[in-house]
Amino acid sequence: MEPSTAGDASSASAAAASSSGPSTSASAAAAAPEGPTHYLAKRVLRGSAVLHVAEGCFRSPESADVVLAKETSLELVVVGDDGVLQSICEQDVFGIIKDIGVLQWHYRDFGLIPQIEHKDLLVVLSDSGKLSLLYFCSEMHRFVAIANIELSKPGNLRHQLGRILSVDRESNFVAVSSYEDKFALIRVSVCQSPHGSDRGTISEKKYFYPPENEEDARIISGACRTSIRGTIWTMCFISTSLDEEYYPVLAMIIHRKGSDGNDLSLFGYDSSSCGVNHISSYSENGPLALDISEIPEMLGFALLFRVGDALLLDLRNPRNVCCIRRISLMTSLFGESVTVEESCPGLDVDDDVAACALLELRDSGNNIMKDEGYMDIDGVDSRGNVKSKIVCSWSWEPPDPVRRGWARLLFCLDDGEFHTLEFTMDVEGVKLNMFEFIDRGSPCKPLLWMKNRMIIGFIEMGDGMIFKLGHRRFVHRSTIQNVAPILDLAIADYYGEKQDQMFACCGMCPEGSLRVLRNGVNVEKLLRTEAIYQGVTGLWTMKMKITDAYHSFLVLSFVEETRTLSVGLSFNDISDAVGFQPNVCTLACGLVADGLLVQIHSRGVKLCLPTIYAHPEGAPLASPVCTDWYPDVTISVGAVGHNIIIVATSNPCCLYILGVKSSPSFHYELYETQHVQLQCEISCISIPQEDWGPEIVGSNCVKGGRKFAVIGTHKPSVEVISLEPGESFRLLTIGPISINNALGAPISGCIPENVRFVAAERSYILAGLRNGMLLRFESEASEHYFPGSFNKDSPTPCVNTCLQLISIRRIGITPVILVPVHDSANADIIVLSDRPWLLHAARHSLAYSSISFLPASHVTPVSSVDCPNGLLFVAENCLHLVEMVHGKRLNAQKFSIGGTPRKVLYHGESRTLLVLRTGLSGPSCSSDVVQIDPQNGVLLSRFKCEPGETAKCMQIAKIGSDQVLIVGTNKSTGRPMMANGEAESIKGRLIILSLEAVESPRESSSFIPTSSLNPPSHTGSPFHEIVGYTTEEFSSNSLCSSPDEFCCNQIQVEQMTGHLRSLTHATLSGAVLAVYPYLDRYVLAAAGNTIYVFGFANENPHRMKRCAIGKTRFTITCLKTFASQIAVGDCRDGVLFYSYNENHRKLELMYSDPAQRLVGDVALLNCHTAVVSDRRGSISVLSCARMGVSESPQKNLAVDCSFYMGETAMSIQKASFRYRLPIDDDTDPVLESAYDCIVASTLLGSVFVMIPLTSEEHQLLQDVQERLSVHPLTAPVLGNDHAEFRRRGIPSGVPPILDGDMLVQFLELTGEQQQAILTHALPGKGPRKPVSVFQVLRTLERVHYALN
């Protein structure tokens, strides 16, 4: 996203909103909009809070894949042997995920449904009212539904099935329960399709308990039928012998109404009656039962987890459950001795603990024994002591085929202790062999012990971790970033790069942190030269041998010069030792054979064998061995491959294919093998890497593939030519390029600038054009896959079989350059045009992400011992050495800040951050406000609250010529409001702090300007003047970190240089939860249900006086202003608009919300329009009545549009972003509303951006969204109604906000699929006006360009 540079007052005011708030002068007021405002909402950062995790073979029988369920999205990841988590794909599900499981079908051979053969299925339970069975589609590169089993109506009602699921050991049954009173067993299998084809289908049979119809109810009678009448806390299957009376057996923990404890009930499917029967119930006096888990490899045994202990149960006879052992969890710190008892005495539990609601138990990390404020986002930070230990997560070690009758459990207690239990089974039964303390840290939930022995632990409000189990300790391998919950957000421009970054308050004590979030793929900036590299025309890296792991040479080409450098710790100029022609512009270079380097320039081709000075394995000679080949005409393009060189000329248009002959004593010869005259000039040549094969891209590729090259021509076209030795030149296939715009006119500049073959699941060819467009071609015949269609043992393909143009995307307006990130035919590709992008090679169609870096003209991968994954960019006449970490889940820098960061502001004048913290452990104060340098985490100044006082809010204001910080506090340790929304009778303070002494980091000793690190030097190696990035100077990262490492610095308190000085303060009735500047001369404060207006005598910030007060019915949670308008967020009455009458010194209610809502946050776009979020997960745009102020201000705000996010947004910011493509004409008029973008952050770690649309754009995209939401390729994977989900809880008649997550799927489809969707007839609707694919692409690319 690019900050707007428009000069109008409104956009300038909006740009300052993140620092000192919007301009509040009356002259900034804008007229009410003449028509309704339309918006598109897109999630630019998916939530990072992992709620469920499952492992399976989803991609292939050999893969070890892990699915992370994050409530509204699914992410497929893998964990390598190095312990680094790599993301494969992530997709939105357009629903709320409740639970997941795995059908382990990878070992089954059905032979009926090819898509799921030898793959596990992911089982998803959601609020869609369906049980979804998903398989991973390699072609679409995401999960696709194979079946959606109807369970209930969509929603979250207590009696509807859709809360918890469990899968039996044999993957034949799935159990699904509601919150209360009801569950069902579902038998799933594959059977022959009823339509008589050879295809199969998923068959399911549902058995409800209690039965839903009278016939089933009569079958289940007497003792076998028992009403549940209670809350179902958890359940799991118990494996028994298949010839038993009941199969399967389901164990369920139920809290029955009126009971003080929980019961363990067993249910079973009776095949004779074809129904579910109640078998028995078991209860033990003592602690509250919380969860149950079957012991793997030990049929009929389970662990029952209770508060403070666990019971080992024998369930082999489900009619007679018995307890074998009681395992006490009430250990001392660091795991001192525990007791294992024969009997099961328990602890007394209060009635109120036993009656805890299920949501409080499961969704709050089993913290029912902790203080009430543990999960309270708005309340005080809890530091209460744990009363009784609870198992919050556990995972069984994967079965070892060698060790039968053995099982080991790793579990985590809610105090952060990790323990293992080891069980063995012999003729005497199950025995507990070992109870061992492992480690202590933060409580994890969930926990997964993987098949590769890695252990993944997720922390609810902090970073997760991957570790291995060592000898009584954990061996940490890597960290999994988690920014949830995001409590506040500030937006600022990234200096010098014209890109935005967000500063976020993430997590809660003790895992609280300040994060610097940036969009796109992250690059770690390592080195940078001075700006002395004007006129770079080419950049390449080369190895000395094909099998080398690292590069040895870096070649820089200028307009009339070529320089060769060594790759390593220092880049030294070794041009003389390599032998390349120094006084020419190099067109291409490469390794033609081991030790032999080739340079192609306009006058000829040069073959060189470097000396040992250039490389240890070079020739032991004083000068390099060189030989040349010169054509009769000028060379225009060329390429180097294994044992082959190709060059082309333009006048005449000829193609030369060269080979290399070698003889003893370092004698080499370049010779011409073929010379062909062409009809059209060649614009580019690419010779594919020869590493594609079964080990790279799977079964679609064959060994012994034909050698070929891809060329681009001025026809324009993309062509594939044969390079097979001993054969004459032959054109294998051709892909003509003909692109028309929306009016049907051909687009100019479609000559290929770069072409690239990609060996993926379905291989393809990329073509980057000179007009900034990117194309994807595939074989026209569906059975022909690259390179199988060019198999040298197969018949020669017919030239009439053209390449099919699959996808077209606009990247920019400058020529497109394609560079793979490493030397492999299946590598991801960096796409350079107006800005750098990363194209995901394995994805369907054209899918790419922005790279968080400057626009660059050239790039090349560079791999060395010290930096194996480096990239070298040419940008702003500098060379930039970076390391791409695109496997990293988040592009975020972390500063561990201590306590809980609640609010953050960006102070533009000093370029520093002001952070409000609570939950501090120091003896002097528990809350403060600190100033932090965002580049290195140095704490510059601080203001401490009084003992027992908690800071709640803050804003930057300008009083006269002074800039101040206004802070609101709560002087009580209790909650600021009662359960009914009314304010508590407590006190708070309004504090005015001076910002005059706030120091810029550029003026402090902690900042070192880049230019002073090393004096410039232009002699010898051009890298002598390389200096470190200042952001890396203070980073704790190593030079080249692993793909998931990130900057994690502790805030450096010892370097604090000053204190924020208090100017004045006022004590108010009620906790001050919101403050905001008003009209450049007032300060507003909301204490309890009262709004205070404070002025300053003679514009002196020391002399604050109260001017007016106003009251609402309930506690005020947020407060914003724009010009003379005041927006108040009430915890029940929604948004209220006030105006201050200066003459009468009175606050007047002007407008009020038409609906009750618990406001999360509010933002004013102008004097007439507000955007508000509520705690139920919706965001709405409200505006004043357009005919003027109503006589009665009751419920006279109109809801313009709404959107159900499914997540609670706690921070809403107005931002100024341009979302035009570079091809747009800047002279076109721009609507003022085009700058009224909204950024919202949520408790699950998501960031949404709302972009305004014109009526024409909205109408076009709404039609496309309706088609996408019902088309099989793009419909919600959960089988639900997309419109119903996005309109949940929204009154009928309110226009919807368009869903950018649904619309962006259109860009990921092929051209043929896009056309099919636009021509797809909507059910129940008549024919519509035809829509152009080009028109839709242009509109969506504009949005995509802005959001990346």
Side-chain angles (χ1 to χ4, degrees):
M1 292 180 286
E2 182 179 350
S4 167
T5 56
D8 57 275
S10 61
S11 62
S13 300
S18 62
S19 58
S20 57
S23 173
T24 54
S25 63
S27 61
E34 297 179 357
T37 304
H38 304 286
Y39 280 93
L40 178 146
K42 175 72 175 67
R43 193 193 322 253
V44 296
L45 178 64
R46 290 187 175 95
S48 58
V50 177
L51 305 181
H52 308 281
V53 60
E55 184 181 18
C57 304
F58 300 110
R59 292 179 297 161
S60 68
E62 297 80 21
S63 63
D65 306 318
V66 177
V67 170
L68 310 180
K70 298 186 282 189
E71 187 153 312
T72 57
S73 65
L74 291 171
E75 183 179 10
L76 182 68
V77 302
V78 294
V79 178
D81 294 335
D82 57 354
V84 176
L85 184 143
Q86 297 282 343
S87 181
I88 302 298
C89 71
E90 188 171 6
Q91 65 186 94
D92 294 289
V93 298
F94 306 105
I96 307 298
I97 298 173
K98 298 297 183 181
D99 204 356
I100 63 173
V102 179
L103 286 175
Q104 298 181 1
W105 284 3
H106 67 274
Y107 57 89
R108 298 188 183 184
D109 189 5
F110 298 106
L112 296 174
I113 309 180
Q115 305 98 301
I116 66 173
E117 287 296 313
H118 307 296
K119 291 182 180 180
D120 290 339
L121 297 188
L122 181 67
V123 186
V124 180
L125 190 63
S126 65
D127 63 347
S128 66
K130 296 179 173 64
L131 182 69
S132 303
L133 306 183
L134 312 180
Y135 74 94
F136 185 79
C137 177
S138 299
E139 182 180 0
M140 298 296 293
H141 202 68
R142 61 184 176 90
F143 283 100
V144 176
I146 191 69
N148 282 296
I149 303 172
E150 194 80 31
L151 295 176
S152 61
K153 296 180 180 179
N156 296 291
L157 298 181
R158 291 180 299 168
H159 300 284
Q160 290 182 354
L161 294 175
R163 175 63 186 97
I164 310 171
L165 71 79
S166 181
V167 181
D168 83 312
R169 183 169 173 264
E170 303 297 328
S171 294
N172 294 324
F173 283 87
V174 178
V176 178
S177 79
S178 62
Y179 284 90
E180 294 181 351
D181 304 343
K182 192 176 184 179
F183 74 93
L185 289 181
I186 305 171
R187 183 196 292 269
V188 288
S189 60
V190 175
C191 64
Q192 193 80 25
S193 174
H195 303 292
S197 65
D198 295 335
R199 297 281 181 172
T201 184
I202 299 293
S203 172
E204 83 280 350
K205 178 64 176 176
K206 293 173 279 191
Y207 307 96
F208 295 95
Y209 191 94
E212 291 192 334
N213 55 66
E214 296 183 1
E215 181 179 353
D216 292 340
R218 284 195 297 268
I219 297 175
I220 305 174
S221 60
C224 293
R225 181 178 178 183
T226 301
S227 175
I228 296 177
R229 291 193 313 109
T231 303
I232 301 172
W233 283 31
T234 188
M235 60 184 181
C236 79
F237 282 97
I238 304 298
S239 300
T240 58
S241 176
L242 299 183
D243 58 0
E244 294 288 341
E245 179 181 359
Y246 294 104
Y247 170 75
V249 174
L250 183 68
M252 185 179 298
I253 294 180
I254 303 172
H255 176 72
R256 302 189 187 276
K257 297 178 181 178
S259 173
D260 293 340
N262 291 343
D263 295 337
L264 173 64
S265 295
L266 299 182
F267 299 87
Y269 171 71
D270 187 355
S271 58
S272 60
S273 62
C274 295
V276 179
N277 295 337
H278 177 261
I279 303 175
S280 64
S281 294
Y282 172 83
S283 62
E284 189 79 29
N285 293 330
L288 190 68
L290 304 176
D291 218 330
I292 187 170
S293 174
E294 179 189 27
I295 301 179
E297 306 299 323
M298 299 182 186
L299 301 183
F301 291 90
L303 277 178
L304 180 67
F305 300 106
R306 306 193 303 177
V307 176
D309 67 11
L311 304 182
L312 177 59
L313 301 181
D314 184 352
L315 304 174
R316 288 175 293 182
N317 181 4
R319 297 185 181 277
N320 183 23
V321 179
C322 62
C323 175
I324 302 176
R325 294 285 188 272
R326 174 182 178 269
I327 307 168
S328 174
L329 305 178
M330 301 302 295
T331 65
S332 301
L333 291 181
F334 307 110
E336 294 179 1
S337 59
V338 298
T339 56
V340 179
E341 305 175 3
E342 295 286 343
S343 59
C344 300
L347 302 173
D348 294 332
V349 181
D350 297 334
D351 293 346
D352 59 340
V353 175
C356 279
L358 177 62
L359 281 178
E360 186 177 353
L361 172 71
R362 293 186 64 89
D363 296 337
S364 298
N366 292 348
N367 287 286
I368 62 173
M369 304 303 293
K370 292 188 175 182
D371 290 352
E372 293 180 355
Y374 177 76
M375 289 293 291
D376 183 21
I377 297 298
D378 298 316
V380 297
D381 301 272
S382 173
R383 295 181 300 275
N385 295 324
V386 178
K387 299 177 182 177
S388 297
K389 297 193 176 184
I390 298 171
V391 176
C392 61
S393 62
W394 72 89
S395 183
W396 293 96
E397 185 174 4
D400 188 345
V402 178
R403 304 182 66 177
R404 294 289 183 179
W406 177 85
R408 185 161 60 157
L409 174 73
L410 174 69
F411 64 91
C412 177
L413 300 176
D414 57 349
D415 62 355
E417 285 190 10
F418 290 84
H419 299 263
T420 57
L421 290 174
E422 186 176 309
F423 298 92
T424 57
M425 186 174 185
D426 53 23
V427 293
E428 298 180 1
V430 174
K431 295 181 180 179
L432 174 63
N433 280 1
M434 185 181 299
F435 186 162
E436 188 176 34
F437 169 81
I438 300 298
D439 214 329
R440 188 184 182 101
S442 298
C444 289
K445 180 185 180 183
L447 196 66
L448 176 65
W449 202 331
M450 297 181 57
K451 295 177 182 177
N452 62 359
R453 308 303 168 181
M454 294 289 178
I455 300 171
I456 308 177
F458 295 93
I459 300 173
E460 283 187 327
M461 289 182 287
D463 291 329
M465 55 185 176
I466 299 178
F467 47 83
K468 271 197 169 184
L469 186 60
H471 178 64
R472 300 197 62 170
R473 68 184 184 92
F474 286 142
V475 180
H476 184 270
R477 290 303 181 90
S478 64
T479 302
I480 305 173
Q481 295 182 84
N482 174 26
V483 299
I486 300 179
L487 302 180
D488 196 24
L489 200 67
I491 305 171
D493 178 49
Y494 192 78
Y495 318 129
E497 292 194 12
K498 297 181 180 180
Q499 297 183 22
D500 292 278
Q501 60 183 355
M502 300 179 184
F503 302 103
C505 295
C506 302
M508 295 188 70
C509 181
E511 301 292 337
S513 63
L514 181 68
R515 311 271 179 147
V516 185
L517 306 177
R518 301 190 67 194
N519 203 2
V521 179
N522 185 42
V523 291
E524 299 290 345
K525 304 168 187 176
L526 305 177
L527 299 173
R528 178 188 63 194
T529 70
E530 291 190 349
I532 58 173
Y533 295 97
Q534 296 87 359
V536 174
T537 61
L539 188 67
W540 302 271
T541 48
M542 296 180 294
K543 298 177 180 178
M544 188 64 175
K545 290 185 177 180
I546 296 177
T547 56
D548 286 350
Y550 305 113
H551 292 112
S552 300
F553 308 102
L554 171 67
V555 178
L556 277 165
S557 174
F558 299 87
V559 177
E560 295 181 349
E561 183 185 8
T562 295
R563 302 170 71 179
T564 307
L565 314 175
S566 63
V567 175
L569 280 175
S570 60
F571 290 77
N572 300 315
D573 194 328
I574 53 173
S575 301
D576 294 339
V578 171
F580 279 7
Q581 190 83 12
N583 58 346
V584 296
C585 173
T586 299
L587 302 176
C589 61
L591 179 68
V592 69
D594 285 350
L596 298 180
L597 309 181
V598 170
Q599 177 193 24
I600 301 174
H601 52 88
S602 60
R603 298 196 294 267
V605 178
K606 193 177 190 69
L607 176 71
C608 303
L609 174 62
T611 68
I612 57 174
Y613 176 77
H615 193 278
E617 298 184 18
L621 303 173
S623 60
V625 178
C626 300
T627 185
D628 296 275
W629 177 86
Y630 297 101
D632 297 330
V633 292
T634 301
I635 297 174
S636 57
V637 293
V640 181
H642 183 55
N643 292 325
I644 196 168
I645 303 165
I646 304 177
V647 296
T649 61
S650 57
N651 188 17
C653 300
C654 296
L655 184 74
Y656 297 86
I657 301 177
L658 308 180
V660 179
K661 291 181 179 179
S662 62
S663 59
S665 303
F666 303 112
H667 291 291
Y668 301 95
E669 179 186 354
L670 287 171
Y671 68 98
E672 179 183 312
T673 61
Q674 294 190 54
H675 174 197
V676 182
Q677 187 162 354
L678 305 175
Q679 295 179 349
C680 294
E681 181 182 351
I682 294 178
S683 61
C684 54
I685 306 173
S686 174
I687 303 176
Q689 297 286 336
E690 296 191 358
D691 60 352
W692 41 262
E695 70 279 2
I696 297 296
V697 294
S699 59
N700 286 333
C701 295
V702 293
K703 291 184 178 180
R706 179 186 300 273
K707 290 185 178 182
F708 63 95
V710 183
I711 62 174
T713 74
H714 282 251
K715 288 182 181 180
S717 66
V718 173
E719 302 178 4
V720 181
I721 61 175
S722 173
L723 300 180
E724 195 63 29
E727 294 184 3
S728 61
F729 173 86
R730 182 161 58 247
L731 180 65
L732 298 178
T733 186
I734 182 172
I737 300 175
S738 178
I739 306 173
N740 298 330
N741 59 19
L743 301 178
I747 297 177
S748 61
C750 291
I751 299 173
E753 175 72 14
N754 235 237
V755 289
R756 180 71 54 181
F757 167 79
V758 181
E761 183 76 18
R762 183 183 178 101
S763 299
Y764 55 92
I765 290 175
L766 287 175
L769 308 186
R770 293 181 179 177
N771 61 4
M773 303 190 80
L774 180 64
L775 312 182
R776 170 170 169 158
F777 290 90
E778 291 182 5
S779 176
E780 190 176 59
S782 59
E783 68 272 11
H784 285 170
Y785 288 132
F786 292 118
S789 55
F790 304 139
N791 183 13
K792 63 183 179 182
D793 296 327
S794 63
T796 302
C798 179
V799 178
N800 294 330
T801 304
C802 294
L803 294 172
Q804 183 180 7
L805 180 58
I806 298 298
S807 299
I808 306 173
R809 293 293 297 275
R810 165 71 71 174
I811 298 294
I813 59 174
T814 58
V816 177
I817 300 175
L818 308 173
V819 180
V821 296
H822 55 80
D823 299 329
S824 174
N826 66 339
D828 289 344
I829 293 176
I830 296 176
V831 182
L832 296 183
S833 183
D834 299 340
R835 60 193 297 183
W837 304 85
L838 179 69
L839 186 136
H840 309 284
R843 297 283 294 276
H844 184 61
S845 187
L846 292 174
Y848 50 87
S849 305
S850 66
I851 298 175
S852 294
F853 196 70
L854 295 164
S857 60
H858 298 85
V859 65
T860 185
V862 54
S863 177
S864 65
V865 176
D866 305 288
C867 188
N869 300 307
L871 292 170
L872 197 63
F873 283 93
V874 179
E876 295 184 340
N877 299 325
C878 300
L879 299 183
H880 304 257
L881 178 62
V882 305
E883 183 185 25
M884 180 173 293
V885 283
H886 57 275
K888 198 163 120 175
R889 298 173 70 242
L890 296 174
N891 186 354
Q893 182 184 14
K894 175 184 176 182
F895 295 106
S896 297
I897 198 170
T900 300
R902 298 278 180 175
K903 299 290 180 182
V904 60
L905 297 174
Y906 177 69
H907 187 242
E909 285 73 7
S910 64
R911 293 186 175 182
T912 59
L913 299 177
L914 297 169
V915 182
L916 185 154
R917 303 187 297 176
T918 62
L920 303 177
S921 57
S924 59
C925 74
S926 60
S927 180
D928 65 5
V929 176
V930 294
Q931 181 200 10
I932 296 173
D933 182 352
Q935 296 193 28
N936 49 50
V938 172
L939 196 155
L940 302 175
S941 57
R942 181 184 187 189
F943 172 79
K944 295 182 180 180
C945 294
E946 295 178 351
E949 185 179 35
T950 303
K952 289 291 185 181
C953 55
M954 64 178 182
Q955 285 292 336
I956 298 174
K958 192 171 184 180
I959 307 300
S961 60
D962 297 325
Q963 202 171 48
V964 298
L965 181 68
I966 48 179
V967 180
T969 72
N970 178 12
K971 292 184 67 65
S972 172
T973 57
R975 295 177 181 272
M977 71 180 76
M978 293 184 282
N980 61 0
E982 296 180 1
E984 291 279 5
S985 299
I986 55 179
K987 297 292 184 180
R989 278 204 305 164
L990 176 65
I991 307 171
I992 308 297
L993 303 178
S994 173
L995 292 179
E996 289 184 354
V998 169
E999 188 179 10
S1000 170
R1002 290 187 179 273
E1003 301 167 1
S1004 67
S1005 60
S1006 63
F1007 183 86
I1008 303 176
T1010 303
S1011 59
S1012 67
L1013 289 178
N1014 206 342
S1017 174
H1018 306 292
T1019 59
S1021 168
F1023 278 79
H1024 283 174
E1025 70 277 3
I1026 285 182
V1027 294
Y1029 277 85
T1030 54
T1031 53
E1032 294 298 323
E1033 180 69 18
F1034 308 99
S1035 170
S1036 61
N1037 279 5
S1038 60
L1039 179 64
C1040 294
S1041 57
S1042 65
D1044 204 42
E1045 287 181 355
F1046 58 101
C1047 184
C1048 176
N1049 298 336
Q1050 296 288 337
I1051 296 298
Q1052 303 172 38
V1053 181
E1054 67 278 0
Q1055 298 190 30
M1056 185 175 64
T1057 59
H1059 295 274
L1060 295 173
R1061 182 169 54 92
S1062 174
L1063 300 179
T1064 184
H1065 68 91
T1067 302
L1068 307 178
S1069 296
V1072 182
L1073 300 182
V1075 293
Y1076 217 78
Y1078 182 58
L1079 294 178
D1080 287 341
R1081 55 188 177 272
Y1082 297 103
V1083 167
L1084 302 178
N1089 66 334
T1090 305
I1091 310 171
Y1092 294 87
V1093 181
F1094 287 93
F1096 298 87
N1098 300 322
E1099 296 185 343
N1100 186 348
H1102 294 269
R1103 302 178 62 186
M1104 183 171 61
K1105 61 180 181 179
R1106 191 175 70 183
C1107 299
I1109 63 171
K1111 288 186 177 292
T1112 62
R1113 295 199 303 167
F1114 301 100
T1115 304
I1116 299 170
T1117 57
C1118 56
L1119 186 68
K1120 296 291 175 65
T1121 67
F1122 188 96
S1124 61
Q1125 195 71 275
I1126 303 170
V1128 174
D1130 191 301
C1131 72
R1132 288 190 62 179
D1133 285 339
V1135 177
L1136 309 172
F1137 278 21
Y1138 283 85
S1139 179
Y1140 176 57
N1141 190 319
E1142 293 184 273
N1143 295 329
H1144 297 86
R1145 293 194 173 185
K1146 181 181 179 181
L1147 282 170
E1148 298 176 350
L1149 178 64
M1150 307 299 292
Y1151 305 96
S1152 62
D1153 203 320
Q1156 285 194 338
R1157 71 181 85 227
L1158 177 54
V1159 176
D1161 198 10
V1162 65
L1164 278 171
L1165 301 181
N1166 49 52
C1167 287
H1168 311 274
T1169 309
V1171 180
V1172 58
S1173 67
D1174 61 49
R1175 300 294 180 97
R1176 294 186 176 182
S1178 296
I1179 191 166
S1180 303
V1181 179
L1182 283 70
S1183 64
C1184 306
R1186 304 188 184 279
M1187 67 289 298
V1189 179
S1190 173
E1191 293 183 359
S1192 172
Q1194 300 300 319
K1195 300 183 178 181
N1196 55 354
L1197 283 174
V1199 183
D1200 288 345
C1201 49
S1202 292
F1203 183 78
Y1204 180 70
M1205 298 182 293
E1207 304 179 30
T1208 301
M1210 294 299 295
S1211 175
I1212 300 179
Q1213 307 275 344
K1214 178 182 175 181
S1216 299
F1217 300 131
R1218 299 191 63 179
Y1219 64 98
R1220 294 170 153 235
L1221 279 173
I1223 58 174
D1224 290 346
D1225 186 0
D1226 284 335
T1227 61
D1228 288 346
V1230 181
L1231 294 177
E1232 179 181 334
S1233 61
Y1235 298 103
D1236 292 341
C1237 301
I1238 292 296
V1239 179
S1241 58
T1242 74
L1243 294 180
L1244 291 180
S1246 298
V1247 176
F1248 286 83
V1249 173
M1250 289 172 52
I1251 295 180
L1253 303 173
T1254 64
S1255 298
E1256 294 76 14
E1257 290 173 332
H1258 183 271
Q1259 184 177 0
L1260 171 69
L1261 295 183
Q1262 186 174 23
D1263 180 71
V1264 175
Q1265 177 176 296
E1266 290 178 1
R1267 298 175 186 274
L1268 289 170
S1269 63
V1270 297
H1271 196 276
L1273 288 175
T1274 52
V1277 72
L1278 302 179
N1280 56 325
D1281 185 349
H1282 173 264
E1284 183 277 332
F1285 174 71
R1286 289 306 188 193
R1287 296 183 58 86
R1288 187 167 297 171
I1290 298 173
S1292 59
V1294 175
I1297 294 175
L1298 295 184
D1299 187 353
D1301 294 319
M1302 173 62 71
L1303 288 167
V1304 78
Q1305 293 183 103
F1306 189 84
L1307 298 177
E1308 299 175 358
L1309 301 174
T1310 66
E1312 183 179 352
Q1313 293 168 339
Q1314 291 170 345
Q1315 188 62 47
I1317 285 178
L1318 295 183
T1319 57
H1320 179 70
L1322 294 173
K1325 296 188 178 182
R1328 297 192 177 186
K1329 180 182 177 181
V1331 180
S1332 165
V1333 172
F1334 184 88
Q1335 186 180 4
V1336 177
L1337 285 176
R1338 183 180 175 87
T1339 305
L1340 288 178
E1341 282 172 349
R1342 181 182 300 126
V1343 175
H1344 184 266
Y1345 193 91
L1347 298 180
N1348 284 275

